[in-house]
Amino acid sequence: MNPGVRQCAVCGVEYDPEALPGLCPICADERQYLAADRRQHWVDPADFAGSIDVVETEPGLWSIAVDGGPGIDQQAKVIVTEAGNVMVEVPASISERAVEAVRALGPLAAIIASHPHMYGLQSLWSRALGGATVYVSNVDREWLGVTPEPVVYWGGEIELVPGVVASQPGGHFPGSCVVHWVGRDGAGVLLTGDTIGVNPDGETLAFMRSYPNRIPLSAGVVLRIADHVERYEFDRIYGNFGGAIRSMGKARLRASADRHAAWARGDYDHLTGTG
């Protein structure tokens, strides 16, 4: 596989080798971080020597997990539908074996990243899987290191294939999106990326401008995000790092948003001591 791109060793996002920036702008931003030596390191995707597992998460939904590659270890998902499949988030590594495993699930119609941290090797995955259309939030297109082909810039809400809808609550990035789909059991499923983070307890959710640098969003923005996603019916929520809410997703999201807003407003300052 001849990739024809380079990628940032820290975030794993692809860049044009003929136009490499001095620093990866995604990592230089306050939401991410540079390498410990504060220098930029580029890698060739062709040098990947790790492993990529494609495993069923639930009927009709598959996860792609990379071990031993560059980047921040996001897990992509593939929604399998009769109208074509949709990859949500993009691995920061690629291999012939992984491509064959995804191809075996059926034709890939669309690729969409919830926000720029998840762009990964989206142009390579698209090319390897027959030229699947890559959907990029119009307001976040400035973060592209490589312009995929074919690409659709979008805003608001869009149906990627019949029954799979993406929309943009914003927050983490202005164009941060969620993807909604109805599972094989008839229950709604929400894939949230970093727009809404699944906490380790598997019951609550987080809303952050930066997760690694612990920068929160305001109470108003968090409640706006919750209001936005409540247009959908959903029972389960999947994040992009393996976390999941397995039941009561809509109620748990609202409770988590209300809790965040209350702490941000100062409602619970009496629990923090007197200073």
Side-chain angles (χ1 to χ4, degrees):
M1 187 174 290
N2 180 18
V5 303
R6 294 294 180 270
Q7 61 186 145
C8 174
V10 176
C11 71
V13 170
E14 61 185 9
Y15 284 85
D16 181 347
E18 303 300 320
L20 294 175
L23 289 175
C24 168
I26 288 175
C27 291
D29 179 73
E30 69 176 2
R31 282 162 286 202
Q32 184 54 16
Y33 48 85
L34 297 168
D37 62 6
R38 314 298 292 177
R39 298 174 62 187
Q40 181 61 47
H41 302 273
W42 302 104
V43 297
D44 186 337
D47 295 334
F48 173 65
S51 62
I52 303 177
D53 292 323
V54 181
V55 297
E56 189 175 41
T57 300
E58 66 171 71
L61 185 67
W62 294 70
S63 295
I64 308 174
V66 178
D67 182 46
I72 55 178
D73 297 329
Q74 68 260 33
Q75 287 191 10
K77 298 287 192 297
V78 177
I79 301 170
V80 177
T81 83
E82 293 182 356
N85 299 345
V86 178
M87 180 182 289
V88 183
E89 317 300 17
V90 189
S93 298
I94 191 168
S95 69
E96 295 285 0
R97 182 176 179 181
V99 167
E100 287 302 319
V102 174
R103 185 179 291 123
L105 301 177
L108 192 72
I111 295 173
I112 187 166
S114 63
H115 65 288
H117 293 155
M118 300 291 109
Y119 286 165
L121 295 175
Q122 59 187 1
S123 72
L124 299 190
W125 277 96
S126 170
R127 190 187 313 159
L129 290 164
T133 300
V134 179
Y135 290 82
V136 175
S137 295
N138 190 52
V139 293
D140 292 333
R141 63 192 293 180
E142 67 185 275
W143 299 98
L144 287 170
V146 173
T147 300
E149 188 64 42
V151 64
V152 170
Y153 299 107
W154 69 286
E157 184 175 85
I158 189 168
E159 190 171 48
L160 302 166
V161 299
V164 180
V165 177
S167 67
Q168 298 172 324
H172 182 55
F173 273 78
S176 284
C177 76
V178 298
V179 175
H180 181 263
W181 163 73
V182 177
R184 298 277 176 86
D185 63 351
V189 179
L190 198 66
L191 308 182
T192 58
D194 282 345
T195 309
I196 302 163
V198 177
N199 288 329
D201 62 11
E203 296 183 349
T204 64
L205 300 124
F207 310 80
M208 302 289 282
R209 175 169 172 80
S210 171
Y211 289 87
N213 298 327
R214 310 298 196 271
I215 306 173
L217 294 170
S218 73
V221 168
V222 170
L223 294 176
R224 184 196 76 204
I225 291 170
D227 290 344
H228 178 108
V229 300
E230 283 183 340
R231 69 182 67 183
Y232 304 114
E233 293 300 324
F234 55 94
D235 188 53
R236 298 184 291 281
I237 299 172
Y238 292 100
N240 51 347
F241 291 95
I245 302 291
R246 302 289 180 180
S247 65
M248 301 174 57
K250 194 168 185 176
R252 293 182 193 278
L253 192 149
R254 172 53 67 178
S256 296
D258 288 344
R259 180 180 71 170
H260 179 117
W263 275 100
R265 283 193 306 260
D267 293 4
Y268 299 125
D269 283 359
H270 62 284
L271 300 177
T272 67
T274 58

